[in-house]
Amino acid sequence: QPEPRPCAPLPAPSASECTTMSDPWKEQFNLAQAKRDEGDCAAAVALFQKALVGCKKQHGTDHLNVALVQNDLACLLCSERDFAGAEPLFRRALAIREKWLGPERRRVAVYFKNLAMVRWHQDDLAEAEMLLQRAVAIYKDPEEVARLEKDLARLRSRIAKILERGGEESLKFAASLHALASDKYQKFDFVAAEPLCRRSLEIRQKQLGPAHADVVGESLSLLAFLLEEKGDLVAAEPLVQKALDIEKNLRGSLD
């Protein structure tokens, strides 16, 4: 499978989005971009980090300029395959962008796409799919939408192959699958949600003990809802009963 596309640095925010870019930290930011373009990644990372500290000091932690610096630093870390370092920067930048611009602006879509690519590299394919879906829903450019839809198709193909392959997977993977199944359930895509939910339930049942029975019950309940939507009440009923039994054991009684 080819790797996901690289993350994308952004141009400076427009005048309508934030205040002046002529603050003292901007010199370090410009120099960091120059060092990055020259291929001196170590120097660029250090300068981006200094610019980020200065930007936060100048504007506070929730400013759009802070999101800009975080995004460019995260993109550079991605190019160095430091995905663990890039992820929290992208998440924080996305949160700032959503707060100030709303969830439907094109620049926010770029952040969804960048975070999706990081999660893809980290093998959290389920979250990557959800993030790419958000980006596709926001983008207006038909060419970019077409590229993202190709990425989505590749991603869904990988998820399908993992589901077919079977075998042990991590609890983190199970949680990600459950989140994706819930997302598809809420979008009434019950056919796609069911295999994701079943795999998540299978992993959780194998790896979780009584202390985490509530997590298993969560998967049981979702699968029961999906079967109910299919009209398979006979299969759904015992799952609901198991989920109720778990609740009774955890709480001592059930209203």
Side-chain angles (χ1 to χ4, degrees), residues 26 60 105 128-130 165 201-202 206:
K26 183 63 181 346
R105 291 282 289 274
E129 180 182 341
M130 287 188 284
R165 186 179 68 229
L201 175 59
E202 177 188 1
K206 286 182 179 178

Side-chain angles (χ1 to χ4, degrees), residues 25-238:
W25 58 268
K26 183 63 181 346
E27 183 178 347
Q28 292 173 325
F29 181 71
N30 287 337
L31 186 55
Q33 291 179 317
K35 290 293 184 181
R36 176 197 63 200
D37 295 342
E38 293 170 3
D40 190 349
C41 293
V45 168
L47 286 164
F48 274 130
Q49 289 172 336
K50 289 180 181 179
L52 182 58
V53 171
C55 189
K56 287 181 178 179
K57 184 176 180 180
Q58 182 81 16
H59 298 296
T61 59
D62 288 338
H63 196 274
L64 284 168
N65 285 342
V66 172
L68 173 71
V69 181
Q70 287 172 326
N71 181 78
D72 276 30
L73 174 56
C75 288
L76 182 56
L77 293 175
C78 284
S79 72
E80 296 294 290
R81 306 192 70 80
D82 182 4
F83 304 116
E87 181 194 348
L89 291 168
F90 277 138
R91 287 193 188 279
R92 183 62 190 142
L94 174 59
I96 294 170
R97 284 275 174 172
E98 285 192 293
K99 176 181 177 181
W100 289 104
L101 304 180
E104 304 302 324
R105 291 282 289 274
R106 179 189 174 279
R107 286 174 179 265
V108 177
V110 176
Y111 283 74
F112 278 121
K113 179 184 71 175
N114 283 348
L115 182 55
M117 295 306 166
V118 170
R119 298 306 286 152
W120 192 337
H121 278 290
Q122 292 177 313
D123 289 327
D124 192 336
L125 306 184
E127 185 180 14
E129 180 182 341
M130 287 188 284
L131 292 164
L132 278 178
Q133 287 181 113
R134 293 290 303 277
V136 168
I138 299 169
Y139 264 111
K140 306 301 182 185
D141 180 5
E143 291 185 3
E144 183 61 29
V145 169
R147 286 192 290 268
L148 287 174
E149 287 180 340
K150 286 183 179 179
D151 287 334
L152 264 175
R154 288 169 49 213
L155 187 55
R156 287 166 176 163
S157 176
R158 286 194 61 186
I159 292 172
K161 288 179 179 178
I162 290 173
L163 294 175
E164 291 171 4
R165 186 179 68 229
E168 292 294 328
E169 299 287 354
S170 70
L171 289 172
K172 185 177 180 181
F173 178 72
S176 185
L177 287 179
H178 181 85
L180 182 55
S182 297
D183 181 68
K184 291 186 181 296
Y185 173 78
Q186 292 167 10
K187 293 174 180 175
F188 307 104
D189 190 355
F190 307 126
V191 173
E194 184 177 343
L196 297 166
C197 185
R198 286 188 181 278
R199 184 62 176 280
S200 176
L201 175 59
E202 177 188 1
I203 296 168
R204 286 173 163 180
Q205 285 180 319
K206 286 182 179 178
Q207 298 192 32
L208 290 176
H212 300 282
D214 57 324
V215 177
V216 175
E218 177 185 56
S219 292
L220 286 168
S221 297
L222 179 57
L223 182 55
F225 294 148
L226 289 167
L227 292 172
E228 181 183 4
E229 293 293 342
K230 286 174 59 177
D232 192 352
L233 303 183
V234 173
E237 183 179 359

